Amino acid sequence: MNKSRFFLYTLIAIPIALMIIPTVIVLAVALIPTGVAFLVERSKGYYGGLTVGCMNLAGASPYLFDLWFKGHTVDAAVGIITNVFAWMMFYGAAMFGWAIYSTTPSLVSTFMTMTSGRRITALRAQQRELVQKWGPDVESVYEPEGGKPQADPTSMASMAG
């Protein structure tokens, strides 16, 4: 990048940065749990950081709107970050994000287990109907350890009769 572009970008960035200082002050305090979530997240995708960050930003948004539409000054920003209820909203929303992040895998696992169980039951009923219709020769039993399906005419025939 040449010097003229750098100067142009600096000339544009400094006034913008000065205009958003109150917002930066509020977000620096409000989004601390989001930063922590991204730091402790070890898995690929940063789902914990994203979940906590979205909820954390949702908790900060009412105060940001007040800041933007009722006077965007440093005094207003300091007033927000010294408000105990604002802190409860920031960190309560982040806590809710952590709760969502920590409970979602177990809920999805439970749902998948229930869905799989119903599917297995339906497939076994369909298998019994096929054995009754076509005879025990169409039946095979899956053996996970051996890796090969083997014909077993007695297992489904005894269940069907």
Side-chain angles (χ1 to χ4, degrees):
M1 181 165 50
N2 58 23
K3 289 184 179 185
S4 63
R5 277 197 172 173
F6 180 75
F7 179 73
L8 178 65
Y9 292 150
T10 306
L11 193 63
I12 292 171
I14 288 175
I16 290 173
L18 291 174
M19 288 188 314
I20 63 169
I21 284 179
T23 300
V24 170
I25 291 170
V26 172
L27 288 178
V29 171
L31 297 183
I32 290 173
T34 301
V36 171
F38 276 110
L39 285 175
V40 300
E41 182 71 33
R42 299 286 181 198
S43 65
K44 189 176 182 180
Y46 298 104
Y47 298 116
L50 290 173
T51 306
V52 172
C54 288
M55 293 306 297
N56 200 192
L57 193 58
S61 64
Y63 294 98
L64 287 174
F65 289 148
D66 283 347
L67 179 68
W68 294 335
F69 297 117
K70 293 183 181 177
H72 194 253
T73 63
V74 173
D75 289 337
V78 170
I80 289 171
I81 65 170
T82 56
N83 184 350
V84 176
F85 296 109
W87 282 67
M88 286 180 10
M89 181 73 94
F90 301 156
Y91 297 129
M95 184 179 66
F96 189 66
W98 276 115
I100 290 171
Y101 176 69
S102 63
T103 58
T104 299
S106 62
L107 291 174
V108 169
S109 174
T110 302
F111 175 76
M112 295 292 287
T113 302
M114 290 176 9
T115 305
S116 300
R118 275 193 243 132
R119 180 76 177 139
I120 288 170
T121 303
L123 287 173
R124 285 192 178 146
Q126 186 179 11
Q127 186 179 25
R128 271 190 238 107
E129 289 175 14
L130 287 173
V131 167
Q132 287 176 352
K133 188 174 189 177
W134 294 96
D137 293 336
V138 298
E139 180 182 16
S140 66
V141 176
Y142 177 70
E143 295 291 333
E145 293 84 27
K148 288 185 173 180
Q150 299 174 346
D152 185 7
T154 59
S155 66
M156 286 306 290
S158 64
M159 287 176 54

